[in-house]
Amino acid sequence: MADGMLYPVMHAVVPPLAKVIWRPTVEGLYNLPDTGPVIVASNHLSFADSLVIPIVTTRKVTFLAKAQYFNGTGFKGAVSKGFFGGLGMIPVDREDSRAALASLDIALDILAKGGAFGIYPEGTRSRDGRLYRGRTGVAHLALTSGAPVVPVGLAGTQHIQPVGSTLPRLAKVTVKFGEPLQFQQQYDGVPVGRARREVTDQVMNAIQRLSGQQFAGVYNDHAGDAV
């Protein structure tokens, strides 16, 4: 079954089951537009983040996932590919030096088609719970596409499957959606570098207000953690 056909089936089964098990607290979901292009920008605490957000939303939010989740062989590989593809995730090879640019192109294509694209401006998950400085890819997407950015603050997802654990655990999870941020035409004539930095900082400030995290003040340099 193609991923596009599998998504409705997966979304009809997985979210209700997950909500019964984890009972996430969701606030401000009305801030996520039902239709039209939108960038969902979240803090990043866990592998589970890319599962939690699609589970609690009423529309498809596409995230990028490690290519290894799609490249496995045998029954386990097929199950992994079906699960992640069925939740609307798209594989990306993080070891490819061109992956970052390719990721932005994928995102812009999704937005051009009126879709919702999920991104973690920190680049990789936080291991100490602090909110790291945002990278400007989110601003590039917002300024290029004109799509609004909906900030999201996650809490508790790091306890679902802590680093080193193999099985998910019960945890109290909170997902807060903030008011959409619109940057279209606000930075006309502003140098590109400055515009992207200012937009990114605004997005990160909005995420911090929702998550309540302490700012780290630096970039997160842990490699290979993000989904």
Side-chain angles (χ1 to χ4, degrees):
M1 184 182 293
D3 293 346
M5 297 175 61
L6 185 58
Y7 175 81
V9 177
M10 289 286 288
H11 206 69
V13 175
V14 176
L17 180 61
K19 289 175 183 177
V20 168
I21 296 174
W22 281 282
R23 299 182 180 277
T25 298
V26 183
E27 300 179 14
L29 185 56
Y30 53 82
N31 285 313
L32 182 66
D34 292 328
T35 60
V38 62
I39 301 163
V40 179
S42 173
N43 61 325
H44 198 14
L45 299 171
S46 167
F47 156 86
D49 297 341
S50 298
L51 304 179
V52 169
I53 292 176
I55 282 170
V56 303
T57 58
T58 54
R59 65 178 294 186
K60 181 178 180 180
V61 179
T62 299
F63 282 89
L64 300 181
K66 293 178 183 179
Q68 69 190 62
Y69 297 139
F70 294 80
N71 296 337
T73 59
F75 177 76
K76 183 177 180 181
V79 170
S80 178
K81 179 179 179 181
F83 180 79
F84 289 102
L87 287 178
M89 297 186 188
I90 295 177
V92 60
D93 184 358
R94 296 185 182 280
E95 295 182 359
D96 187 337
S97 60
R98 298 166 297 178
L101 291 176
S103 299
L104 292 175
D105 288 340
I106 291 171
L108 289 172
D109 184 60
I110 291 170
L111 295 170
K113 294 176 180 177
F117 183 79
I119 188 171
Y120 304 112
E122 292 171 276
T124 188
R125 60 187 173 186
S126 171
R127 288 179 175 269
D128 59 14
R130 294 185 297 168
L131 186 66
Y132 284 80
R133 197 176 191 204
R135 300 180 186 275
T136 59
V138 63
H140 170 70
L141 296 180
L143 294 172
T144 302
S145 69
V149 179
V150 172
V152 176
L154 295 169
T157 56
Q158 70 272 27
H159 302 304
I160 293 178
Q161 191 168 356
V163 175
S165 64
T166 57
L167 295 175
R169 305 174 183 179
L170 293 178
K172 181 177 176 56
V173 173
T174 300
V175 188
K176 297 181 180 180
F177 293 85
E179 295 182 3
L181 305 174
Q182 182 61 259
F183 302 104
Q184 192 173 25
Q185 298 181 337
Q186 291 187 23
Y187 286 87
D188 290 351
V190 177
V192 173
R194 174 184 164 190
R196 290 180 180 176
R197 185 71 261 163
E198 290 185 4
V199 167
T200 301
D201 289 345
Q202 287 186 54
V203 171
M204 297 309 295
N205 287 336
I207 291 174
Q208 191 279 331
R209 288 192 292 270
L210 295 166
S211 70
Q213 292 168 277
Q214 176 185 349
F215 278 123
V218 295
Y219 291 112
N220 190 345
D221 291 327
H222 286 296
D225 288 342
V227 171

